[in-house]
Amino acid sequence: VTDIPATTGANFGQEVVCYESPRPTAGIHRFVFVLFRQLGRQTVYAPGWRQNFNTRDFAELYNLGSPVAAVYFNCQRESGSGGRR
C-alpha cells in the first residue's frame, strides 16, 4: 500500500499488491512486512520478481526513507493438510 496519508490508516492508501495468505509447501518460511515513510508522492510499482528481492534496492529506487516499522512471522505447512503421503 502506498501514499497512506500520515494522519489516517492503510485503508486510505493506494493498494499496489493485494495480501495473500501464506501457503508454504514445505519447511518454515519467514514473512517480513516493512513500513517506509515516503518522501514524496510518486507511483510505486510492484516488483516483477521475488527471487533475490532486495529491500534496500527497492527503497532506493523509489526514494523511500529509512524503515519506520517492521514485523515478521514464521509459518509452515500444517501436517495432514493434503498432498502426497
Side-chain angles (χ1 to χ4, degrees):
V1 178
T2 65
D3 299 326
I4 303 169
T7 58
T8 63
N11 293 344
F12 294 92
Q14 190 70 24
E15 185 177 84
V16 176
V17 177
C18 65
Y19 176 79
E20 291 185 28
S21 297
R23 292 186 284 274
T25 55
I28 298 173
H29 293 255
R30 182 180 327 159
F31 293 85
V32 181
F33 294 89
V34 182
L35 178 67
F36 290 91
R37 172 170 282 126
Q38 276 181 265
L39 301 178
R41 288 183 71 109
Q42 76 175 68
T43 303
V44 176
Y45 296 99
W49 69 98
R50 284 182 51 182
Q51 193 162 355
N52 299 321
F53 177 79
N54 186 304
T55 304
R56 187 172 288 143
D57 290 347
F58 185 81
E60 186 177 312
L61 175 66
Y62 290 108
N63 194 30
L64 302 175
S66 296
V68 295
V71 65
Y72 79 93
F73 63 92
N74 294 325
C75 73
Q76 70 184 65
R77 182 174 180 208
E78 293 182 15
S79 60
S81 60
R84 292 176 96 170
R85 296 182 187 258

